[in-house]
Amino acid sequence: MTQLITTDLVELDQNLGNAPETVIRHLASKVAATGRASEVEGLFADAFAREQKTATGIPGGIAIPHCRSAAVTVPTLAMARLNPKVDFGAKDGPADLVFFIAAPDGADQEHLKLLSKLARSLIKKDFTAALRNASSEAEIVELVDGALADKPAAHAAAAPADAVPVGAGAAVGAAAGSAHSGAPAASAGRGSKRLVAVTACPTGIAHTYMAADSLVAAAKEVGVDLQVETQGSSGAKALDPAVIAAADAVIFAVDVDVRGKERFAGKPVINAPVKRGIDEPDKMVQEALAAADNPHARRVPHFGAEEQAEHEAEEKGEHIGQKLKKALLTGVSYMIPFVAGGGLLIALGFLMGGYLITKYADNIVVQNSLFNLPTEFPDNAWGPLGAYLGAVLFKIGALSLGFLVPALAGYIAYAIADRPGIAPGFVAGAVAGFMGAGFLGGIVGGLLAGYIAHVVGRLQVARWLRGLMPVVIIPLLASLVASGLMFLILGGPIVAITKGLNAWLSGLTGAGAIALGVILGLMMCFDLGGPVNKVAYSFAVAGLGAATIDNQAPWQIMAAVMASGMVPPLAMALASTVLNKKLFSLAEQENGKAAWLLGASFISEGAIPFAAADPLRVIPASMLGGAVTGAISMAAGVGSKAPHGGLFVFFAIDNFLMFVVSIAVGTVITALSVIALKRWAVKKTVDTVEPVPVTV
């Protein structure tokens, strides 16, 4: 196995600046200089983004910046002993010992276990004392290798033999060297208590295991049996159900969702960020013991059986905007597969069945089969077989896209009210789709359904009624109220706005072609498949029937609308996968790969994940590129006889070369604009770093 640390990765008693970012950048450059990372900037960006989510300073003058990064080629430790110290956010002051843990995206389990073991060793006083006393880089490497091999530090007393079990199966050697040594012995009553805990952080390398060890050590000092399940990267062994059943309370020291939380249903719970498990493990243990004796303590909800709402457990200090963003991101993440799959199937249907397959698809799929091919189909279909397969593909895609708004609304409601919110959210989303409220209606319906389900779920009801709450009462009341509001109050104004915009657009057909192209481009990119986008698209589609050889304006409007709508996803794909990957998260880079196909298929929603994460930069940049594309398309007289399909309906597009040119120009403009805005934003963030709550 490759050695995790070498003397080239150690920096002793150096001035590396006075801010975490300068230290992290320096250590990232050392990792890259040894050939263990492909680039400095990508590694720094990933590590510093992790630092912004949760400060990595821990008690004892230690900091452990860490990340997973596509730039890392070999699992690596880099270490710096700082002079002067740098504040990494620990409560007891700045750090002089900094370990930078750099793991590849696909690091093997053995390496991850070693990285986690090193992190756990850093809460041992004898180990950190030896690091401070080391006189050379080689001695540091020897100490680290010894810690990874479970050898005692040369300058410290041997650790006690009685290790406390942790749920992940690793022994806890932190008890002897914990900062809690010397705590008073537990009373007999407290000593009989049993606790369980779950620790988890976004990367699952360092904080997860250090919090586990700190909590176990703190519990041991007060005579309490505590067993921990570490949900980290190096594997996790689930707590025995019998251990959970016997526990008096549970501690969740987590920055991400607890997997299998329903196993702890009904237990008194203390919920806090994972870093508190390192900084204040003794307080968390005391709070858990107090909760165990308090009949009114907050408990882990009985999913599907109790009225308690999950989201009472949200972290303290989280603002309403952050909660709203988390809910929207949840809805979008579940919606995207419907958009991607359905849109591509529709495009393939157009390619095989012709751009008029929409008129024939329903009859063909019902009345025909592979053994009874249709005789009536579009002239530009690939024959009877192509028409049949095209109709099938188109219909599957159309049905898939029909779930777009209900899925968005359903999972926004799920993010707010957990499982009881799903049904009301889907119903409200279906109502929004039925009324033509589109993407915006789905968001409003999902928020309404989720909030109402959350409120109803908190009502105090008789015990005999509790079992009916999540399966009958909450879905019934939340669906009735949320969907009723959509029908009675919200639908009318949205329809009125849609009709007014249609009339306004119709009045612009006599205006200059370029001005109209700019307006259509702006509308197509304003809300990425939402009501404004749909108004422009509906206006274009409605006019196709009036187009003739002598009146090609409707075809030109359709082409401008389609080209502009392709710009946002293609631009996000270009920016995140080609031009500047480091400005985008790994999830966005993966979404960018899919956005190439989505954009080519005229699925504007392919840019929604980017817009949801950074709307103030992505949307204006998209509108700028879309406006330019619409203007070029109209000026060049590009026409499209097809209402959908993007590049896949090339056969239905007049002046296809200029169609591609207009899209390419707008795509480049939007991509460069997003990159410029994100670079400016990153610089401002580095100047004044503010912690950002974890949303993973």
Side-chain angles (χ1 to χ4, degrees):
M1 182 179 297
T2 306
Q3 190 175 10
L4 291 175
I5 188 170
T6 66
T7 54
D8 294 334
L9 294 165
V10 179
E11 195 84 66
L12 294 182
D13 305 318
Q14 296 296 315
N15 183 347
L16 301 185
N18 58 3
E21 56 265 34
T22 62
V23 177
I24 293 173
R25 185 182 291 279
H26 181 85
L27 293 177
S29 66
K30 290 187 76 69
V31 174
T34 58
R36 292 167 173 252
S38 58
E39 58 169 330
V40 175
E41 289 303 318
L43 176 55
F44 166 74
D46 290 333
F48 191 61
R50 173 64 186 87
E51 189 73 23
Q52 289 179 279
K53 291 177 180 177
T54 308
T56 58
I58 61 173
I62 303 166
I64 315 174
H66 56 279
C67 71
R68 288 171 176 265
S69 176
V72 178
T73 56
V74 179
T76 299
L77 298 172
M79 183 267 189
R81 195 167 65 195
L82 303 178
N83 185 16
K85 299 180 180 181
V86 174
D87 187 1
F88 275 79
K91 289 189 175 182
D92 63 346
D96 62 334
L97 294 179
V98 179
F99 270 92
F100 179 41
I101 302 176
D105 280 338
D108 60 80
Q109 290 299 306
E110 290 305 313
H111 274 119
L112 289 173
K113 287 179 180 179
L114 289 176
L115 293 171
S116 303
K117 184 181 292 186
L118 182 278
R120 304 175 98 148
S121 297
L122 289 173
I123 63 173
K124 301 179 183 179
K125 284 186 175 181
D126 56 348
F127 180 61
T128 55
L131 291 173
R132 289 187 170 95
N133 292 330
S135 58
S136 67
E137 291 84 352
E139 190 174 348
I140 293 289
V141 172
E142 182 181 357
L143 286 168
V144 172
D145 288 342
L148 297 179
D150 291 324
K151 296 178 182 177
H155 306 290
D162 55 333
V164 181
V166 176
V172 180
S178 170
H180 308 284
S181 59
S187 66
R190 284 286 173 91
S192 63
K193 296 293 185 183
R194 295 182 177 182
L195 303 177
V196 292
V198 176
T199 61
C201 68
T203 51
I205 296 173
H207 286 70
T208 298
Y209 302 97
M210 297 177 73
D213 288 358
S214 297
L215 288 167
V216 169
K220 184 178 182 182
E221 290 182 3
V222 295
V224 173
D225 176 42
L226 171 65
Q227 297 197 42
V228 186
E229 178 178 317
T230 51
Q231 297 185 354
S233 297
S234 61
K237 180 181 178 182
L239 287 168
D240 190 315
V243 172
I244 297 175
D248 296 289
V250 58
I251 295 172
F252 291 150
V254 296
D255 284 338
V256 295
D257 290 337
V258 175
R259 299 194 296 269
K261 187 183 291 186
E262 64 275 5
R263 295 172 295 156
F264 306 91
K267 299 289 182 184
V269 60
I270 300 300
N271 200 323
V274 67
K275 195 168 184 294
R276 187 169 184 243
I278 303 171
D279 294 342
E280 300 177 342
D282 48 353
K283 290 184 179 180
M284 292 194 73
V285 169
Q286 294 298 330
E287 289 170 5
L289 292 172
D293 295 327
N294 181 4
H296 302 293
R298 187 162 56 82
R299 297 172 181 267
V300 180
H302 285 270
F303 294 86
E306 295 285 338
E307 75 281 6
Q308 287 178 282
E310 161 63 15
H311 285 268
E312 287 183 33
E314 290 182 338
E315 296 175 11
K316 293 181 180 179
E318 189 175 38
H319 300 297
I320 184 64
Q322 293 158 350
K323 296 176 183 178
L324 179 61
K325 179 181 178 182
K326 191 179 295 185
L328 293 177
L329 287 175
T330 299
V332 169
S333 68
Y334 282 100
M335 178 195 74
I336 288 299
F338 293 100
V339 179
L344 291 175
L345 287 169
I346 287 176
L348 291 174
F350 281 130
L351 181 62
M352 300 185 69
Y355 58 86
L356 295 177
I357 194 64
T358 54
K359 297 181 179 180
Y360 297 85
D362 286 357
N363 288 334
I364 289 176
V365 296
V366 171
Q367 299 177 5
N368 299 105
S369 68
L370 284 173
F371 307 102
N372 177 29
L373 296 176
T375 56
E376 295 185 6
F377 50 83
D379 294 336
N380 53 2
W382 290 2
L385 179 61
Y388 178 71
L389 295 178
V392 169
L393 291 171
F394 171 82
K395 200 61 188 175
I396 295 173
L399 292 171
S400 177
L401 282 182
F403 287 100
L404 189 155
V405 174
L408 173 67
Y411 286 103
I412 287 176
Y414 165 74
I416 297 172
D418 206 75
R419 297 179 189 177
I422 292 180
F426 266 85
V427 173
V431 171
F434 172 76
M435 300 190 72
F439 182 72
L440 181 60
I443 292 176
V444 173
L447 293 174
L448 276 174
Y451 177 73
I452 294 166
H454 176 75
V455 171
V456 173
R458 296 179 64 182
L459 296 176
Q460 297 296 323
V461 298
R463 179 173 290 275
W464 64 268
L465 193 57
R466 292 179 184 176
L468 294 176
M469 289 291 288
V471 295
V472 178
I473 307 299
I474 296 176
L476 173 63
L477 294 180
S479 297
L480 178 63
V481 176
S483 297
L485 287 173
M486 291 294 294
F487 270 125
L488 299 176
I489 299 176
L490 301 175
I494 293 177
V495 171
I497 292 172
T498 301
K499 289 182 178 179
L501 287 174
N502 267 321
W504 177 58
L505 276 175
S506 298
L508 289 174
T509 53
I514 294 178
L516 181 57
V518 169
I519 292 171
L520 292 172
L522 291 171
M523 294 183 69
M524 287 300 295
C525 300
F526 175 71
D527 54 359
L528 304 175
V532 177
N533 171 287
K534 288 296 186 287
V535 166
Y537 178 70
S538 300
F539 169 74
V541 172
L544 284 179
T548 63
I549 296 298
D550 298 326
N551 178 24
Q552 299 188 17
W555 290 339
Q556 293 171 3
I557 291 172
M558 188 72 251
V561 163
M562 190 186 301
S564 300
M566 294 166 67
V567 166
L570 288 174
M572 296 306 106
L574 178 64
S576 63
T577 66
V578 177
L579 296 182
N580 203 328
K581 296 181 182 180
K582 66 177 180 291
L583 293 178
F584 298 85
S585 67
L586 295 177
E588 287 177 323
Q589 292 176 33
E590 290 302 314
N591 285 329
K593 296 174 184 177
W596 283 113
L597 283 175
L598 296 176
S601 305
F602 179 38
I603 302 174
S604 302
E605 289 86 347
I608 286 177
F610 299 89
D614 194 4
L616 296 181
R617 292 166 180 79
V618 172
I619 291 178
S622 296
M623 292 174 68
L624 176 61
V628 173
T629 293
I632 294 175
S633 178
M634 291 295 290
V638 179
S640 174
K641 302 179 182 68
H644 211 293
L647 297 178
F648 291 95
V649 292
F650 59 90
F651 46 83
I653 296 175
D654 300 326
N655 200 352
F656 183 70
L657 176 61
M658 286 306 300
F659 179 72
V660 173
V661 168
S662 67
I663 295 170
V665 172
T667 296
V668 171
I669 289 174
T670 294
L672 293 178
S673 299
V674 166
I675 289 172
L677 290 172
K678 283 183 175 289
R679 282 179 176 172
W680 175 80
V682 168
K683 290 180 180 178
K684 294 294 289 184
T685 301
V686 171
D687 290 337
T688 54
V689 180
E690 295 181 359
V692 178
V694 175
T695 57
V696 179

